Amino acid sequence: MAAELSTSINIKEPRWDQSTLVGRAKHFFTVTDPRNILLTNEQLAHAHKIITDYRQGIVSPGLTEDELWRAKYVFDSAFHPDTGEKMILIGRMSAQVPMNMTITGCMMTFYKTTPAVLFWQWINQSFNAIVNYTNRSGDAPITVSQLGTAYVSATTGAVATALGLNALTKHVSPLIGRFVPFAAVAAANCINIPLMRQRELQHGIPITDENDNRLGESTKAAQQAISQVVVSRILMASPGMAIPPFLMNHLEKKAFLKKFPWMSAPIQVSLVGFCLVFATPLCCALFPQKSSMSVSRLEPELQEKIRANHSGVERVYFNKGL
């Protein structure tokens, strides 16, 4: 008879060493696996029960270590790490590849007219707003009014940026014109992410010591977290929006696409999807999910509070979001 699984496995942390890029990449290849969005509510509930029970020292009969880690990654893919709530389906990181390949492929196919640019940039920024809200850091509630204001300001700013860039490139070569969606997405990410997470910048995000003891909320930590996410998101979009334009510019001169012009969008979407399968987890892995900073870089009043109540703490940790 097999021995019962030990309750000492640390499932609060990922399975792989997060101090290395390779360890983080393995972690995010699992978290962003598109197959996770096909899981049923029953499968999610089963994983939730396994993880919740295990955290309380209860081991499901016959549970193996591999099954425990699988349940953890199913759990992590669907439930917010700070609030514990089930995340919106299309806002989960496992939905990034199928959603982004479709939206990005269409943005890069239909970029020549203002109505098309307006529509697809609005779709893209609305999707980004959902992702940014779903993957925010912290557990403080956000009101419908705050969410509405953030959404309107983020999407308006991002779409206006895209239209402005599109207008500037009316007289450049077709190849340069194909890069307008990427420039627009990069600029829009710098607007959308901070605006959708503006509550964090105003009120701070939870910071802890290395043992997960909560020390307070920091706006400085929020600034670092959001900056890292902006960089990751821009780089995440880069391969899918930088490589296909060269290939499509070449393919559209060939007889095949002249004979079947309707194939342009499916080919573009497939090329973007192939790039995103690798770019999404690798760019998520650029920075540790559990980010950290020195106490000396926090707000002066927070530094004083930590040094008075937790004198040995030199570094604080926080969830940066995705």
Side-chain angles (χ1 to χ4, degrees):
M1 186 174 177
E4 187 177 87
L5 186 66
S6 167
T7 56
S8 62
I9 299 170
N10 184 12
I11 58 169
K12 288 183 179 179
E13 301 295 334
R15 187 172 194 175
W16 298 280
D17 181 6
Q18 296 299 283
S19 66
T20 68
L21 179 61
V22 171
R24 295 196 296 271
K26 287 180 179 179
H27 168 70
F28 281 110
F29 265 106
T30 308
V31 170
T32 63
D33 186 340
R35 292 174 297 180
N36 287 337
I37 62 173
L38 302 176
L39 296 169
T40 64
N41 285 331
E42 290 74 21
Q43 288 172 305
L44 294 179
H46 180 61
H48 188 283
K49 184 178 187 309
I50 289 174
I51 297 304
T52 305
D53 285 352
Y54 190 83
R55 286 174 176 169
Q56 295 171 354
I58 303 168
V59 179
S60 303
L63 184 70
T64 67
E65 184 172 349
D66 283 341
E67 288 170 342
L68 174 66
W69 283 111
R70 173 59 187 156
K72 175 196 160 47
Y73 276 104
V74 168
F75 178 89
D76 286 352
S77 75
F79 296 93
H80 193 277
D82 293 328
T83 66
E85 65 187 19
K86 187 185 287 187
M87 296 185 283
I88 303 164
L89 181 64
I90 64 170
R92 299 173 194 170
M93 292 310 290
S94 51
Q96 282 284 293
V97 172
M99 292 297 296
N100 267 330
M101 68 184 281
T102 305
I103 295 170
T104 304
C106 289
M107 277 198 301
M108 296 174 69
T109 303
F110 310 110
Y111 66 93
K112 294 180 179 178
T113 65
T114 298
V117 171
L118 185 63
F119 176 75
W120 284 108
Q121 285 291 343
W122 171 69
I123 290 289
N124 184 50
Q125 293 311 319
S126 295
F127 169 64
N128 282 344
I130 292 170
V131 172
N132 296 335
Y133 169 72
T134 304
N135 294 281
R136 67 198 183 281
S137 175
D139 52 10
I142 182 169
T143 66
V144 173
S145 173
Q146 289 171 326
L147 188 58
T149 302
Y151 168 72
V152 171
S153 56
T155 50
T156 302
V159 169
T161 302
L163 290 175
L165 285 168
N166 204 51
L168 290 173
T169 56
K170 291 291 185 186
H171 307 294
V172 298
S173 71
L175 180 58
I176 298 297
R178 286 183 181 277
F179 285 95
V180 170
F182 173 57
V185 164
N189 271 328
C190 297
I191 297 169
N192 194 317
I193 295 171
L195 284 174
M196 284 305 295
R197 293 177 61 176
Q198 60 185 279
R199 193 188 186 288
E200 298 170 39
L201 293 170
Q202 293 166 352
H203 302 286
I205 57 177
I207 57 171
T208 67
D209 62 17
E210 60 183 0
N211 298 315
D212 287 333
N213 297 309
R214 192 157 172 166
L215 305 174
E217 286 76 35
S218 170
T219 56
K220 294 287 187 182
Q223 290 168 17
Q224 176 174 305
I226 291 171
S227 298
Q228 290 178 345
V229 171
V230 168
V231 171
S232 292
R233 291 286 189 82
I234 291 174
L235 292 176
M236 194 185 294
S238 300
M241 301 191 82
I243 297 171
F246 287 108
L247 296 174
M248 292 305 297
N249 204 52
H250 175 72
L251 289 173
E252 285 183 356
K253 296 173 184 175
K254 302 294 181 182
F256 177 76
L257 278 184
K258 287 180 179 177
K259 188 177 181 181
F260 304 104
W262 58 270
M263 283 294 293
S264 181
I267 291 173
Q268 188 104 255
V269 168
S270 300
L271 287 170
V272 172
F274 178 78
C275 292
L276 283 172
V277 165
F278 299 97
T280 300
L282 290 175
C283 290
C284 282
L286 288 175
F287 304 101
Q289 179 66 39
K290 187 177 181 180
S291 196
S292 68
M293 67 192 306
S294 170
V295 170
S296 61
R297 292 179 55 204
L298 297 172
E299 301 89 314
E301 63 277 12
L302 194 51
Q303 289 184 42
E304 289 178 18
K305 177 184 171 185
I306 291 172
R307 284 176 178 144
N309 300 322
H310 309 274
S311 57
V313 175
E314 294 296 331
R315 199 156 193 84
V316 296
Y317 300 84
F318 49 91
N319 170 31
K320 72 173 174 63
L322 284 172

